[in-house]
Structures are given as structure tokens and as C-alpha cells.
Amino acid sequence: MKFLTVMTFCLLCLLPVAAQDTSPAPQGGEAQYFVAAGAGFNRYADKQASGWLTFGARIAPGLYTYSLLTMTDQTSTIGQGFMKVLIRQDGFTLSALGDAGVAAGEGAVGSAFAGGGSLNYDISRWTKVPKTWVTATVKVAKTTLGEAQPVFCFGFGKSF
């Protein structure tokens, strides 16, 4: 089951590339692609900690599409979503996001939905690696396998 989930995620990663914006150059230094990974915390879940990985592409100025894989030791969720940049200022980026996908675990498969916000901070001046950032995300996730629950995520990313 984990192999099938990983393969599906790899195929979904191709969707943002196929749907990318065809404008000649990103405006205002806006990134064309990004990758990020980190950990999530859900206080109400049986397994409170999770790991996540995402890949995204810009489809319009300030609008991105992304593929997301979230896994615990018993469940996995794979989805496709959109992120809208609301404001950029002094190295901070505030975004709204939402995604939908498939959740699988403990012998059951169902749908998964999430929506929330993300705050990124550019850490390039400390890492000496261009376009690196730290992210904190708060979202409400709902699957057909369980109730709607708040999820807190923290991670690192790289734009290119």
C-alpha cells in the first residue's frame, strides 16, 4: 500500500508541471517551482505526528498548484491543492491554501480535504542557500475516515 501511495504521489507531481504558467518569466522574483518537507502535529489523532512532502509550480502570478504526500506509520494521504499568496513583506509570505485527495489506512480508503493558511519566512541570509525558507502551516483536515481536525505543520522549503 505504501508503494502504491508513493507511486501515485510521483505521478501527481507531474500535474503541476503540466499545468504551469507559460508566461516568459516570473514577476517580482516569484519562484516558478518549490519543494518542501517537514513534520505535522494533530493533537486529536491516534498517531499525532506525521511527515509530509510537497512539490508545487506557479500557474499564475501569486497562484500555485501543489501535490502533497502526508504519512504516519499507519495512514497516508495524497492530494492536489492550490495556494494563493496573500501578502509578501520583509521576508514573510502569507498564503491561503486548500487541497483534496485520497486517504488510506487500516484497511480503508476514503477522501481527504484540507484548508488553512501558511506563513513562510526567507532564511537565505542565514543558510547562504538562495531561496530557502521555513514554513509554519495551520489547517483543518477532514477525511471520510475521521472527523475534521486542526493540523499544525512545520518544515523547510526551497524555491527555484
Side-chain angles (χ1 to χ4, degrees):
M1 184 61 157
K2 297 279 184 184
F3 175 75
L4 181 61
T5 302
V6 172
M7 291 305 296
T8 305
F9 177 72
C10 292
L11 291 174
L12 281 175
C13 283
L14 297 176
L15 183 62
V17 174
Q20 70 179 327
D21 182 18
T22 57
S23 61
Q27 297 177 353
E30 198 172 33
Q32 188 70 25
Y33 304 101
F34 69 87
V35 293
F41 176 75
N42 179 344
R43 176 180 170 190
Y44 302 102
D46 292 335
K47 299 295 180 181
Q48 295 180 336
S50 63
W52 57 269
L53 173 68
T54 188
F55 170 79
R58 184 174 74 98
I59 57 174
L63 182 64
Y64 292 83
T65 182
Y66 62 90
S67 296
L68 175 67
L69 172 65
T70 305
M71 299 183 87
T72 69
D73 62 345
Q74 293 181 347
T75 63
S76 59
T77 304
I78 187 165
Q80 185 69 30
F82 292 96
M83 178 181 75
K84 174 65 177 156
V85 174
L86 302 175
I87 189 169
R88 284 192 175 102
Q89 186 171 355
D90 299 329
F92 287 96
T93 303
L94 179 64
S95 305
L97 53 90
D99 57 71
V102 177
E106 301 175 1
V109 176
S111 58
F113 305 94
S118 179
L119 181 65
N120 300 343
Y121 183 69
D122 185 356
I123 58 171
S124 298
R125 64 179 140 217
W126 295 295
T127 63
K128 306 298 184 206
V129 178
K131 297 184 179 181
T132 54
W133 36 270
V134 62
T135 183
T137 302
V138 177
K139 60 184 178 178
V140 175
K142 168 72 173 111
T143 68
T144 54
L145 305 176
E147 298 180 10
Q149 300 173 340
V151 179
F152 304 92
C153 300
F154 180 78
F156 295 91
K158 168 100 174 95
S159 302
F160 48 99

